[in-house]
Amino acid sequence: MYLRKIRVQNYRSIVDSGWVPIDGVTCLVGKNESGKSASLKAIEGLNSTDTAFVNYNKIEDYPRRYLAQYDERHAEQEAEVISSQWELTEADIAEVSKVLGKSVFKDKFVTVTKRYESASKIWSVPLKQKDVLDHLIAREDLSEKDAKCLETISSTQSAAKALEALESRSERQSSLLGTIKSFKDSSAMMKAIEILQNRMPKFLYFSHYDRMSGEISVNKLNADKATPTGISTGDSVFLDFLSYAGTNLDELTKTNRFEELNAKCEAAANNISDQIFEYWTQNEHLDIDVVLSEGKSQDPAPFNSGLIARARVRNNLHKVSVPFSERSAGFIWFFSFLVKFAQIKKSHGNVVLLLDEPGLTLHGTAQKDLLRYFQEKISPNHQLVYTTHSPFMVPADNLSSVRTVEDVVVTKRGRKQSEGTKVRDDILATDRQTNFPIFGALGFEVTQTLLIGENTLLVEGPSDILYLQVASTTLTKLGRTGLKASWNICPSGGIDKILPFVRLFFGNNLNIAVLTDFDRGQKNKIETLKRSEILELERIILATDIAEKDEADIEDFFEPALFVKLLNQAYNLEGEHELTVNKLNQADEKTDRLVKKAEAFFRVLPPSVPEFNHYAPSYYLQQHPEILSGKSAGVRKTLDRFEKVFEKINDFTI
């Protein structure tokens, strides 16, 4: 089962998050107190690996401002907390088919929900129950006579009642009845749910604060297990480490052979260490040891008696070892997470990871290493949803996997009111603080490109990057000329900033080309850039050269009808607000630039329609590249223009 969408309602700061698409790796970005952690905890409650998390508690978790009206707001049934849509894999369908027959699903999607004060889930499964019954009848090889009593029946429950009502049953009828009665409530639907529920992944929630303890007193751990508060989170992670090592607390307590246990702990530490240092680039001279010994009388309690397990980190460069707890918080978290993940995989198999602010204390480059670990080690086998407000944890090369989390505040009758947390797949949220990590990630990528990219194409802004990327991908799939992969596209911020950019990095031996918009007022700026002689004249490609207009932006590479189609879809323009080529032309007859005409058109639309900006249509096109598919004249002419500019740029490749 593969998680496709979730919706959280009535949980802490979340009144209704809306349906949120989930990818293989999904990043939730938002500022502090926006509802990121609440989102993860609500998702976890659907099917948690934590056996203590059985059901949601409405006293603790229901939005407090509405708690007094709970019975009124949910008079008929408990409030719904989590809804989820799952896509069935071929393996899931095969397991159901073994029992209920082939081709018994209307489609591959099931919905699972959960409410307050209940451990049970509510399933919606698109099962063709008549087909299931027909399969069971055929499998039991009922004769036409035996099957006659079932010819008008379409469910196993009704079939069971009909068979039980017979005065006498044939052997095959009895066998069929026995098969149906083996299903809960004689329901094929319940049998399908039972099979799928056993295959449904569990959710592992792991917080930035969940870190393994550096030393454990076995005596104290045994005592803590018997207390109401139980063992600490750090000690719990240590127990996971012992389990991963193939031992447990009871074995530690009872054993008289330390060498065997030390060997197991050493082997487990080596395994986890190998995983860490494949992705830990901060310091490669470290080793991790876990040793068992008797407590010494001069050590602080409770580590002064009984069996003590200690984790230590040795720095081979400085020839010194220190207690695990004295290493950096980022290193401790990374080790603890790998321990927890390894043990959960071992005990639960398929899990969906929910990581709350992972790597928060890691250096920026270490956070990039963590993203690489997510992509290379986790995403091939597990889905991952994580929260962050760090720009280094935002995947700048995969912004379509980013969701913004925002506590939406509106003003009604002069008073500010919260509409609760909203989770959007549109990263252009209204709150700039919410967007800040995304912009920071893009800025980091820009500087990396300028410092590292051998072939660098300077464009004006992020929207140019997206347009060029989508067009290049489309052309390449068609066997035509796209932008060569060796080119890194960098937004410079406009024609005014291109010259300073080029001068700043002139000594880095970068191969630079420029694609820039042009209007008549920029003529002097272009002349200044040309006179600088830092760039060859032919490396400065004007949009006017491609669009064959006196003034042009990259949007003018599009045929007007195709650009109108893109705007209508990107902004959901319908009815009287729907844009046409004629309306676009009339919006501003003083210019031929499509983007300026669009700005003029949007200025006269009502406030309910979002304001026009350059980025939104390009982002929408990235999500819906099929707009550039087809054989229409508009698509063909548009792709011709993009191909023309790619051919010019590719000529400068080194």
Side-chain angles (χ1 to χ4, degrees):
M1 294 176 65
Y2 194 89
L3 184 61
R4 287 298 185 188
K5 292 194 298 186
I6 60 98
R7 180 187 183 188
V8 179
Q9 300 178 83
N10 307 305
Y11 189 82
R12 300 184 184 176
S13 65
I14 308 171
V15 177
D16 186 349
S17 69
W19 280 103
V20 182
I22 301 296
D23 296 328
V25 176
T26 303
C27 172
L28 303 183
V29 175
K31 59 185 181 181
N32 294 331
E33 304 300 322
S34 61
K36 301 189 302 295
S37 297
S39 299
L40 292 190
K41 293 300 291 183
I43 297 171
E44 180 199 8
L46 183 63
N47 200 33
S48 178
T49 58
D50 183 358
T51 55
F53 197 158
V54 177
N55 53 265
Y56 304 104
N57 186 315
K58 64 186 176 187
I59 300 300
E60 296 179 359
D61 297 327
Y62 190 78
R64 193 60 55 89
R65 55 188 167 139
Y66 298 128
L67 184 59
Q69 298 101 32
Y70 183 92
D71 291 338
E72 178 183 343
R73 292 166 64 91
H74 310 284
E76 297 183 359
Q77 55 189 350
E78 298 287 356
E80 188 174 291
V81 179
I82 182 75
S83 300
S84 60
Q85 185 189 78
W86 301 78
E87 182 177 357
L88 300 180
T89 65
E90 294 301 321
D92 298 325
I93 294 173
E95 284 299 307
V96 175
S97 297
K98 290 178 184 178
V99 180
L100 303 182
K102 296 181 179 180
S103 302
V104 294
F105 289 108
K106 299 174 186 176
D107 58 56
K108 293 184 177 182
F109 296 94
V110 302
T111 301
V112 186
T113 62
K114 196 170 181 182
R115 300 178 180 277
Y116 275 106
E117 310 299 340
S118 175
S120 61
K121 306 174 186 66
I122 304 164
W123 289 72
S124 175
V125 180
L127 193 67
K128 296 187 284 189
Q129 298 197 59
K130 181 64 168 66
D131 288 6
V132 173
L133 181 58
D134 290 344
H135 165 75
L136 296 177
I137 291 172
R139 191 171 67 182
E140 296 294 344
D141 197 20
L142 264 66
S143 66
E144 185 177 342
K145 179 182 178 181
D146 285 345
K148 187 171 181 58
C149 64
L150 303 175
E151 61 184 3
T152 62
I153 291 175
S154 59
S155 71
T156 53
Q157 288 178 305
S158 298
K161 292 179 181 178
L163 291 171
E164 287 177 328
L166 295 175
E167 293 183 2
S168 62
R169 290 183 289 274
S170 68
E171 182 178 342
R172 295 189 185 280
Q173 286 175 327
S174 296
S175 179
L176 174 60
L177 179 60
T179 298
I180 294 175
K181 294 288 285 183
S182 69
F183 304 159
K184 182 179 180 181
D185 298 332
S186 300
S187 169
M189 182 70 73
M190 295 301 296
K191 185 62 180 178
I193 292 173
E194 176 189 327
I195 296 170
L196 295 176
Q197 183 146 294
N198 290 332
R199 299 182 61 81
M200 182 181 182
K202 287 186 175 293
F203 291 96
L204 166 63
Y205 174 86
F206 197 76
S207 166
H208 159 69
Y209 301 102
D210 296 335
R211 302 173 191 171
M212 189 178 87
S213 300
E215 54 186 352
I216 299 289
S217 165
V218 175
N219 290 340
K220 182 176 185 301
L221 206 57
N222 272 322
D224 288 345
K225 288 175 65 177
T227 65
T229 56
I231 60 177
S232 67
T233 299
D235 289 357
S236 176
V237 177
F238 198 98
L239 290 182
D240 287 326
F241 173 80
L242 294 179
S243 182
Y244 181 71
T247 186
N248 54 53
L249 189 61
D250 291 336
E251 191 172 356
L252 286 180
T253 305
K254 298 174 183 177
T255 188
N256 292 317
R257 297 186 61 197
F258 287 104
E259 190 60 35
E260 178 182 353
L261 293 181
N262 269 320
K264 288 183 177 182
C265 290
E266 187 177 79
N270 289 339
N271 194 333
I272 298 293
S273 297
D274 288 343
Q275 294 184 56
I276 281 185
F277 294 119
E278 183 179 353
Y279 293 90
W280 183 265
T281 60
Q282 303 297 290
N283 187 342
E284 59 186 21
H285 304 289
L286 305 179
D287 283 325
I288 302 170
D289 295 317
V290 176
V291 296
L292 303 172
S293 62
E294 289 290 333
K296 303 302 181 182
S297 59
Q298 297 302 309
D299 286 334
F303 307 111
N304 55 352
S305 63
L307 185 61
I308 309 298
R310 292 183 173 89
R312 296 185 66 82
V313 181
R314 177 175 179 79
N315 188 313
N316 294 313
L317 188 63
H318 295 287
K319 308 299 183 184
V320 64
S321 69
V322 297
F324 183 73
S325 57
E326 293 183 15
R327 295 305 304 178
S328 68
F331 181 84
I332 294 173
W333 180 89
F334 203 175
F335 184 89
S336 303
F337 164 65
L338 291 181
V339 166
K340 187 73 174 181
F341 181 43
Q343 176 52 24
I344 287 295
K345 281 201 303 182
K346 183 178 176 181
S347 57
H348 291 286
N350 188 15
V351 294
V352 176
L353 295 170
L354 306 174
L355 303 186
D356 201 354
E357 299 289 357
L360 188 62
T361 51
L362 293 174
H363 183 270
T365 55
Q367 291 182 24
K368 301 297 285 186
D369 289 337
L370 184 59
L371 279 183
R372 186 164 58 92
Y373 178 83
F374 290 167
Q375 190 64 38
E376 296 177 6
K377 293 296 185 181
I378 293 180
S379 64
N381 301 300
H382 302 273
Q383 286 186 268
L384 164 65
V385 183
Y386 70 95
T387 68
T388 191
H389 53 251
S390 167
F392 299 105
M393 288 299 295
V394 175
D397 58 344
N398 186 22
L399 291 180
S400 61
S401 69
V402 177
R403 312 286 180 260
T404 57
V405 183
E406 181 183 2
D407 187 3
V408 178
V409 177
V410 297
T411 301
K412 294 182 179 179
R413 294 189 295 275
R415 296 181 59 189
K416 289 186 176 181
Q417 298 181 20
S418 172
E419 293 185 345
T421 295
K422 299 291 183 183
V423 185
R424 302 185 178 101
D425 59 353
D426 177 5
I427 61 173
L428 298 174
T430 56
D431 187 346
R432 295 187 63 84
Q433 292 184 45
T434 299
N435 280 332
F436 178 78
I438 300 171
F439 296 143
L442 289 173
F444 177 75
E445 288 298 304
V446 167
T447 57
Q448 291 296 99
T449 297
L450 288 172
L451 293 171
I452 298 172
E454 185 178 21
N455 297 302
T456 299
L457 173 63
L458 293 180
V459 297
E460 293 221 358
S463 59
D464 300 60
I465 297 177
L466 297 185
Y467 283 132
L468 292 171
Q469 287 177 339
V470 177
S472 179
T473 301
T474 301
L475 286 165
T476 302
K477 288 181 179 178
L478 293 173
R480 299 175 62 179
T481 302
L483 185 65
K484 288 184 178 179
S486 57
W487 282 94
N488 293 301
I489 311 175
C490 171
S492 63
I495 192 67
D496 291 324
K497 299 182 177 64
I498 287 177
L499 184 57
F501 265 52
V502 175
R503 283 176 172 162
L504 179 62
F505 295 99
F506 184 69
N508 287 358
N509 297 318
L510 299 182
N511 179 42
I512 294 177
V514 174
L515 173 63
T516 181
D517 303 339
F518 179 76
D519 63 48
R520 295 185 184 92
Q522 294 177 327
K523 185 176 181 179
N524 291 336
K525 298 174 183 177
I526 295 293
E527 291 301 322
T528 300
L529 181 58
K530 291 179 178 179
R531 287 197 303 269
S532 70
E533 297 184 354
I534 291 179
L535 286 177
E536 300 170 4
L537 293 181
E538 59 268 23
R539 289 176 177 269
I540 305 171
I541 304 169
L542 303 181
T544 50
D545 297 337
I546 307 301
E548 297 181 347
K549 294 181 177 181
D550 293 335
E551 296 182 320
D553 309 274
I554 195 171
E555 287 84 356
D556 290 291
F557 293 4
F558 289 83
E559 278 293 289
L562 189 60
F563 187 62
V564 163
K565 177 182 178 180
L566 174 60
L567 293 183
N568 281 330
Q569 293 187 20
Y571 289 96
N572 294 318
L573 300 178
E574 298 176 342
E576 62 179 321
H577 303 317
E578 184 176 4
L579 181 60
T580 65
V581 174
N582 189 43
K583 288 181 181 179
L584 184 67
N585 288 331
Q586 293 177 353
D588 187 347
E589 297 179 345
K590 297 178 181 179
T591 179
D592 287 334
R593 298 167 67 185
L594 294 181
V595 71
K596 292 299 180 183
K597 290 178 177 290
E599 290 173 354
F601 175 78
F602 273 75
R603 281 197 293 268
V604 299
L605 293 179
S608 59
V609 179
E611 292 184 7
F612 176 80
N613 66 73
H614 289 243
Y615 189 79
S618 63
Y619 179 70
Y620 185 86
L621 183 64
Q622 184 195 46
Q623 293 184 309
H624 302 277
E626 67 275 6
I627 291 175
L628 290 181
S629 64
K631 299 181 179 180
S632 68
V635 170
R636 177 175 52 79
K637 291 179 180 180
T638 298
L639 292 179
D640 286 347
R641 295 187 185 102
F642 277 104
E643 186 173 39
K644 181 179 178 181
V645 78
F646 293 146
E647 289 172 345
K648 283 179 172 287
I649 297 167
N650 289 343
D651 286 343
F652 304 128
T653 307
I654 61 172

